Amino acid sequence: MVLSKLCPLASDSLKNLIESFLLHGYDSAEASSVLPQCKLDSLEDEEPWGIAGLVLGLGNCVFAMYRLGLNDAVLILKDILLSWVPSLEPSNKSSLFCNEMTEISLAVGACLAIPMVVAFCQNVELMIGDIDAILIRYVSLVSDLLNSSVSEIHYQNLVMASCIGAGSFISCILNDGVHSIRYDDIKHLLEFLRNGYSNSHPPLVHLGAMIGVVNAFGAAAGDLTYKHIQASFLPISLDLMVSDYVRGPIILSPICENLSTSFVQELFLIAKDSKDQQTRKYAAWAVSFLRYKWCSEMIQEIDCSKSISMISALQSESLADDSLVWKMCSWLSNINNHQVHCNTVVAVLRCISKAPKLPILDWASIIRGFMKNAANFPNKSEILQDATSFREECIYFSLAHAKDVKSLLLFLDDLVDLSRFRTLELNLQCLLLRHVSDLANIFSTLRIERLFQDFAQFFSSSASPYLVYGLKQKVLLRISFWKGLYQCFNGAYLKSSCVSEIEKCMECLFRFMPTFAYNVKTEEFLCTCSEWCEAIRCLTKARHGWLIVVLQFSDRSTLNEIAVRILAKVRLVKNGSSSFSELEKLKSFILNFRLEGVWWSVLVELVSTLSSAQVSIKRQWLLDALEVSCVTENPSTALSFIGLLCGSCSKYMPLLIVEPKIVLSDLRITLPSLLSSSSWSAIAESCVDKLLQSTERICTWAAMLSGGAIDDLPSSNRINESNVDASVSLARLMYQTCLSLKDYLPLDQQLRLAILEVP
């Protein structure tokens, strides 16, 4: 907002960025209330660097934007910064800017901010390509500015910023170890920078050109986001000596050895022998920046003067240079993405995934390069290997060796960070969730805790991309996480401090547990069944006390919440994790609940679980269900349960259809068949006695309902209005079932049945 006020020309560009924030719910009202209370209608000579500082600060905000999930804002900011860097046409060199003060100030900040913004976008795969085009733009800008005749202080500032930015850009891209740049392009830029400090330019231009050179070599002067150079960046193949491309830091590249040596020596001589004291001081600063980074603790083990011997040393320390693993690793690090089939790369990755030891390389850069260029690999027509599955293989390889290879550990650490994880493709998210136990095995305790917290937030946050997935995609993610959590419980390395975090993840997933309808056979139903299987398998590993709390429900719980918790308890009894006594506590509640929606599935699951119980337990459930039907407001529920239980235990079971109306209509066959068997005959008379009571109640209710005298029915004997439509059919069904069992009744009860009024 300050930039918009100071530079009205930038307001249109920044408007899109502000709108992107507003779309994500970030209000600018509070920010506007704390704007600096200063005069913003004019710019003094010293203020352009203040504006450039604001632009640089805005560029640094990409890290915060990304962590907030504002990926579109990051890309908008990247495009804004690039739009502020002038593209100079030959016909327009006499007047480079319409509003010199404003546009030059924005361009100065943009030249300094673009390297870190573009490198960040590349690293998190928000931007693919365009690197060469941006480099050409830097080279063109530096060349045109150095060749122009203008010498005002504002242009000197821009020349300095463009030189520094160009050097930083090359370093940021190459230090990532993924994107390669032509050697000739690097040499071309460095030659331009040499002209900047060799010819008769103003001191500021000399300073910018020198800093640009050492920044290209990794000095990172003024770069707060400098990425450390690791010893593993050293190439493993001397074939790179004849390559046209450079990948990795310039100063560690064999092909650039002569180039970097000559430039560093030249700057050293200028700092030592230049006749101009100011130039000598600037050169000394530049060399000091480079020396500081080169001698700092993160790179002190590398001796650039002995790069060739270091290569041999790394080979000998790790693997014999004639071993098969070494040859395959060497081949992987030097392949051309456009000439090698992805199936070949996958085969090699799978092979060396089994290797007990790998050479000392920057494996993270190799794998990141494969993942970014997955779509560029040609496919074999007979065995199709698409880009997504190829990227999966890269992660499998990383998981296999991350425990021993630090760069792969850091790669996975970055990949599962919430801000990065939510940008991955669905299949990669599922893979990482499924292998959360492998991640827990290689991460520290604190990192494991944050890992589970991030994954839980991924499913629960209102800003999570999980919420915009389709139903099938959501189920796949949840199933993958259930599988991963189960493996965590199975691992001997499970840390006690992480159990609570795992349980929080399980509780989060359990909130999304779907209900299902057995009378609908669809793909959705099959996915739901798979999720339930994985969830119950995982819940069996949880602590009993925690499980009791999670499966509790109250009067304020919705029907789905109650059904899911009861289904979970039933499933846990079914797989032997809980006893049947746990279901006894729910018996009255289940049989009295209104039969609607998912409650049919609850009854089916309950009967399926009871089928493995002892006969005595099943007989007690039958007696209790008949007793409930005599008093409940929802007799259809208890009678449906009785029909399911009788059908599952009778000799006709293989021929029956589990459908609500059919199960009730079959009751007049299944109940007599069940009670006639030897193991059930002992409770036959008690069952039929309760059945008659229930029949009399339902027939009386149906008759009063037909005669319009329902208000005369005692309140203690009322039946829920939801049963009105089925009153007549239910009464007739009960009467016919009693008739088929009348031989179990004493004479007086048979007379009551004979004179019973049936509508």
Side-chain angles (χ1 to χ4, degrees):
M1 295 180 72
V2 173
L3 277 173
S4 296
K5 290 182 176 294
L6 289 172
C7 307
L9 291 175
S11 59
D12 290 339
S13 300
L14 293 171
K15 182 179 179 182
N16 293 331
L17 184 61
I18 294 174
E19 288 178 351
S20 176
F21 275 89
L22 296 178
L23 286 175
H24 288 81
Y26 297 97
D27 193 358
S28 60
E30 183 178 353
S32 62
S33 65
V34 295
L35 279 176
Q37 301 300 315
C38 59
K39 188 176 181 181
L40 301 176
D41 55 357
S42 65
L43 295 175
E44 301 297 337
D45 288 345
E46 66 273 11
E47 285 179 339
W49 276 105
I51 295 175
L54 288 173
V55 175
L56 186 59
L58 191 61
N60 272 293
C61 288
V62 294
F63 305 98
M65 293 179 189
Y66 183 74
R67 294 195 67 83
L68 287 172
L70 304 176
N71 297 348
D72 51 346
V74 173
L75 293 175
I76 290 172
L77 177 56
K78 184 259 299 181
D79 293 336
I80 289 174
L81 293 174
L82 289 174
S83 70
W84 288 344
V85 176
S87 180
L88 307 181
E89 300 295 337
S91 60
N92 196 33
K93 289 184 180 179
S94 59
S95 179
L96 299 179
F97 300 96
C98 298
N99 187 317
E100 292 186 354
M101 179 71 75
T102 297
E103 293 190 37
I104 288 180
S105 300
L106 294 173
V108 167
C111 284
L112 297 175
I114 284 173
M116 64 177 173
V117 173
V118 172
F120 178 79
C121 291
Q122 277 280 108
N123 188 54
V124 298
E125 295 185 326
L126 285 180
M127 185 185 82
I128 304 297
D130 296 334
I131 298 299
D132 295 328
I134 297 173
L135 178 59
I136 291 173
R137 194 163 181 177
Y138 264 118
V139 173
S140 175
L141 178 62
V142 171
S143 172
D144 289 339
L145 288 173
L146 289 175
N147 292 331
S148 65
S149 58
V150 292
S151 59
E152 287 84 353
I153 185 65
H154 310 307
Y155 284 93
Q156 293 181 37
N157 290 335
L158 180 57
V159 176
M160 179 167 62
S162 61
C163 290
I164 295 174
S168 298
F169 181 78
I170 285 185
S171 179
C172 285
I173 298 304
L174 291 181
N175 282 6
D176 193 41
V178 174
H179 189 86
S180 58
I181 299 178
R182 282 172 52 89
Y183 170 79
D184 289 341
D185 292 339
I186 296 173
K187 183 179 179 181
H188 195 49
L189 174 62
L190 291 176
E191 289 294 342
F192 277 124
L193 295 177
R194 171 182 277 160
N195 293 336
Y197 62 76
S198 298
N199 297 334
S200 57
H201 293 292
L204 282 180
V205 176
H206 288 172
L207 175 61
M210 292 175 181
I211 299 299
V213 168
V214 295
N215 274 6
F217 294 152
D223 183 0
L224 301 178
T225 62
Y226 177 75
K227 186 174 182 179
H228 296 173
I229 299 176
Q230 302 294 336
S232 54
F233 271 117
L234 285 168
I236 66 169
S237 174
L238 298 184
D239 294 339
L240 291 177
M241 292 287 289
V242 295
S243 173
D244 292 331
Y245 288 86
V246 177
R247 183 174 66 85
I250 295 175
I251 209 159
L252 295 180
S253 173
I255 188 177
C256 294
E257 183 175 1
N258 293 333
L259 188 68
S260 56
T261 300
S262 64
F263 272 89
V264 174
Q265 286 179 344
E266 184 176 78
L267 287 175
F268 180 79
L269 291 175
I270 293 174
K272 179 175 177 289
D273 300 328
S274 176
K275 295 179 181 179
D276 184 81
Q277 184 176 0
Q278 189 69 53
T279 302
R280 213 164 50 238
K281 186 183 298 184
Y282 288 161
W285 285 355
V287 174
S288 297
F289 286 137
L290 183 60
R291 183 181 182 278
Y292 172 75
K293 287 297 180 185
W294 193 249
C295 296
S296 58
E297 59 181 6
M298 65 266 192
I299 204 166
Q300 61 185 356
E301 297 178 359
I302 302 178
D303 184 355
C304 61
S305 64
K306 300 178 180 179
S307 59
I308 303 301
S309 60
M310 177 63 74
I311 296 170
S312 301
L314 289 177
Q315 290 182 0
S316 61
E317 287 177 9
S318 182
L319 294 166
D321 54 10
D322 60 345
S323 69
L324 180 60
V325 173
W326 171 260
K327 290 178 180 178
M328 286 189 291
C329 293
S330 176
W331 178 82
L332 279 177
S333 66
N334 299 306
I335 62 174
N336 187 321
N337 299 343
H338 300 280
Q339 297 177 357
V340 180
H341 288 293
C342 65
N343 293 315
T344 306
V345 181
V346 167
V348 174
L349 283 175
R350 289 176 178 174
C351 185
I352 62 176
S353 292
K354 308 290 185 181
K357 194 175 186 180
L358 293 180
I360 303 175
L361 305 171
D362 184 28
W363 283 105
S365 294
I366 295 172
I367 296 302
R368 281 200 303 268
F370 286 162
M371 293 190 70
K372 289 181 181 179
N373 296 301
N376 295 331
F377 283 94
N379 293 321
K380 287 183 178 179
S381 57
E382 64 271 19
I383 307 177
L384 180 62
Q385 183 78 46
D386 59 22
T388 55
S389 57
F390 179 77
R391 285 163 64 87
E392 288 179 7
E393 293 296 335
C394 293
I395 296 180
Y396 282 128
F397 172 82
S398 302
L399 288 169
H401 288 290
K403 194 169 186 177
D404 301 313
V405 181
K406 183 179 179 181
S407 63
L408 291 178
L409 176 64
L410 296 176
F411 166 70
L412 290 173
D413 175 55
D414 173 69
L415 211 59
V416 297
D417 186 79
L418 180 59
S419 54
R420 181 78 172 91
F421 178 78
R422 58 191 176 197
T423 66
L424 297 175
E425 308 96 296
L426 176 69
N427 64 307
L428 298 186
Q429 290 175 340
C430 289
L431 189 158
L432 290 168
L433 289 170
R434 195 164 58 249
H435 288 271
V436 65
S437 61
D438 294 325
L439 294 169
N441 192 26
I442 59 178
F443 286 164
S444 66
T445 301
L446 290 177
R447 183 63 183 92
I448 295 171
E449 292 176 1
R450 187 163 68 86
L451 174 70
F452 286 121
Q453 290 169 5
D454 282 352
F455 281 169
Q457 188 176 352
F458 173 76
F459 285 96
S460 59
S461 172
S462 58
S464 173
Y466 167 79
L467 300 179
V468 302
Y469 279 131
L471 179 62
K472 185 177 180 181
Q473 288 77 15
K474 289 180 179 179
V475 172
L476 287 175
L477 284 167
R478 295 197 299 266
I479 289 177
S480 299
F481 201 21
W482 280 119
K483 289 181 178 179
L485 294 175
Y486 175 76
Q487 292 301 325
C488 286
F489 281 114
N490 274 354
Y493 49 82
L494 181 63
K495 301 175 177 65
S496 58
S497 59
C498 297
V499 172
S500 61
E501 297 297 336
I502 295 175
E503 290 175 342
K504 289 177 184 177
C505 291
M506 293 167 61
E507 186 175 358
C508 174
L509 286 179
F510 192 75
R511 296 193 195 104
F512 296 103
M513 286 301 294
T515 54
F516 46 84
Y518 276 105
N519 57 332
V520 180
K521 298 294 183 181
T522 62
E523 184 179 2
E524 177 186 337
F525 170 77
L526 297 177
C527 290
T528 300
C529 289
S530 298
E531 181 175 1
W532 268 97
C533 290
E534 295 299 336
I536 295 301
R537 191 172 68 133
C538 191
L539 288 173
T540 57
K541 297 288 185 177
R543 294 178 299 169
H544 183 68
W546 173 85
L547 201 56
I548 291 176
V549 173
V550 170
L551 298 183
Q552 283 180 343
F553 55 87
S554 64
D555 295 338
R556 293 176 293 179
S557 302
T558 64
L559 172 61
N560 278 358
E561 291 173 344
I562 295 173
V564 165
R565 282 158 176 75
I566 291 179
L567 283 170
K569 290 183 178 182
V570 171
R571 286 285 185 103
L572 289 170
V573 172
K574 188 175 184 179
N575 69 4
S577 301
S578 299
S579 63
F580 282 97
S581 61
E582 293 294 327
L583 296 183
E584 292 288 336
K585 304 172 184 177
L586 298 172
K587 183 184 296 183
S588 177
F589 183 86
I590 294 174
L591 298 178
N592 275 287
F593 208 90
R594 180 179 174 183
L595 186 61
E596 62 177 351
V598 300
W599 214 250
W600 173 254
S601 299
V602 173
L603 296 182
V604 173
E605 277 293 312
L606 177 59
V607 171
S608 175
T609 300
L610 287 172
S611 63
S612 61
Q614 297 177 358
V615 175
S616 59
I617 295 177
K618 289 186 278 191
R619 288 189 303 205
Q620 189 59 50
W621 272 87
L622 178 59
L623 287 169
D624 291 341
L626 285 167
E627 187 172 344
V628 168
S629 71
C630 297
V631 295
T632 181
E633 289 188 357
N634 300 290
S636 297
T637 304
L639 293 173
S640 295
F641 169 79
I642 294 168
L644 285 168
L645 183 61
C646 294
S648 67
C649 299
S650 73
K651 61 183 179 181
Y652 301 112
M653 188 270 289
L655 305 176
L656 300 179
I657 299 175
V658 184
E659 198 277 329
K661 291 183 179 179
I662 297 177
V663 165
L664 276 178
S665 64
D666 289 341
L667 187 61
R668 55 194 170 189
I669 299 174
T670 55
L671 183 56
S673 172
L674 180 69
L675 296 179
S676 64
S677 63
S678 58
S679 57
W680 292 80
S681 58
I683 63 167
E685 292 183 0
S686 298
C687 287
V688 178
D689 177 63
K690 296 178 185 300
L691 179 67
L692 177 60
Q693 295 178 40
S694 180
T695 301
E696 290 176 326
R697 175 178 181 246
I698 292 174
C699 287
T700 302
W701 165 70
M704 289 186 169
L705 190 65
S706 300
I710 190 66
D711 293 335
D712 297 336
L713 194 67
S715 58
S716 59
N717 203 29
R718 287 191 180 275
I719 296 178
N720 194 283
E721 295 178 357
S722 61
N723 296 273
V724 169
D725 294 338
S727 60
V728 175
S729 59
L730 187 61
R732 292 175 180 175
L733 169 67
M734 295 292 289
Y735 180 74
Q736 293 169 0
T737 305
C738 275
L739 283 179
S740 63
L741 292 166
K742 64 181 187 302
D743 293 339
Y744 290 100
L745 294 172
L747 183 59
D748 60 328
Q749 291 183 343
Q750 291 185 24
L751 290 175
R752 282 165 47 193
L753 179 63
I755 63 174
L756 184 63
E757 182 181 354
V758 182

